[in-house]
Amino acid sequence: MKTVVAAAIVRDQKLLLAQRSYPDDVAGLWELPGGKVEDGEAVSVALEREIAEELSVRIGIGRGVGEPVVLRDNLILVARHAWLVEGEPVAVEHSAVTWVSAGELGAMARAGELVPADAVWLDDLVALLGES
Ligand code: CDP
């Protein structure tokens, strides 16, 4: 079982979403940015690395958000609360990045604009935005 880790980056009660550019079945949908943990790599180190590669920023990492989601092909997806430490996010590998409020996130989920696995975390993400 491999782990994929994604960041729920929050600033000013808004969540950062990134728009996938590939593969075709999820291209155009929005996700929490992240990627696969390499063998022997700590989850938080993997998340810092993936976010630096994908968004050109450094993040701080906190607690887990929501329950792990089992993806197809032996992948397990986990999310962690995160915040910007250095830089402004740039869409290096994604089509775009955006900041959304809890209300906007709910509307996007209802419209089917989130990747399916991340949509499972809607209530957890809304709660996280309410706390921050
Ligand atoms: O770039 P890397 O191959 O490390 O990872 P990825 O392609 O971004 O993600 C690996 C798998 O996790 C893909 O199947 C993505 O669709 C899925 N994923 C997801 O469902 N939700 C996320 N927030 C991030 C990745």
Side-chain angles (χ1 to χ4, degrees):
M1 198 71 130
K2 271 208 173 241
T3 301
V4 180
V5 60
I9 303 174
V10 178
R11 178 172 71 186
D12 299 337
Q13 293 193 296
K14 291 196 167 189
L15 176 70
L16 185 130
L17 293 178
Q19 189 174 34
R20 284 204 71 107
S21 57
Y22 71 94
D24 284 352
D25 58 331
V26 288
L29 301 182
W30 296 84
E31 69 174 5
L32 303 182
K36 294 191 191 87
V37 179
E38 291 172 2
D39 291 340
E41 191 179 35
V43 169
S44 58
V45 171
L47 188 56
E48 285 176 31
R49 174 182 55 72
E50 288 284 349
I51 296 302
E53 289 171 7
E54 294 184 357
L55 303 175
S56 269
V57 294
R58 287 206 307 124
I59 54 170
I61 299 173
R63 66 171 172 81
V65 176
E67 294 291 322
V69 176
V70 177
L71 303 173
R72 67 198 174 286
D73 55 29
N74 264 19
L75 285 181
I76 185 150
L77 175 68
V78 300
R80 300 280 295 272
H81 177 209
W83 50 89
L84 293 179
V85 170
E86 191 183 330
E88 271 298 308
V90 178
V92 177
E93 296 177 5
H94 291 86
S95 304
V97 294
T98 191
W99 294 95
V100 297
S101 66
E104 289 163 341
L105 183 67
M108 290 171 80
R110 286 190 294 278
E113 293 170 0
L114 304 181
V115 301
D118 297 31
V120 171
W121 294 324
L122 176 63
D123 290 349
D124 306 290
L125 293 167
V126 167
L128 182 67
L129 289 170
E131 288 162 18
S132 56

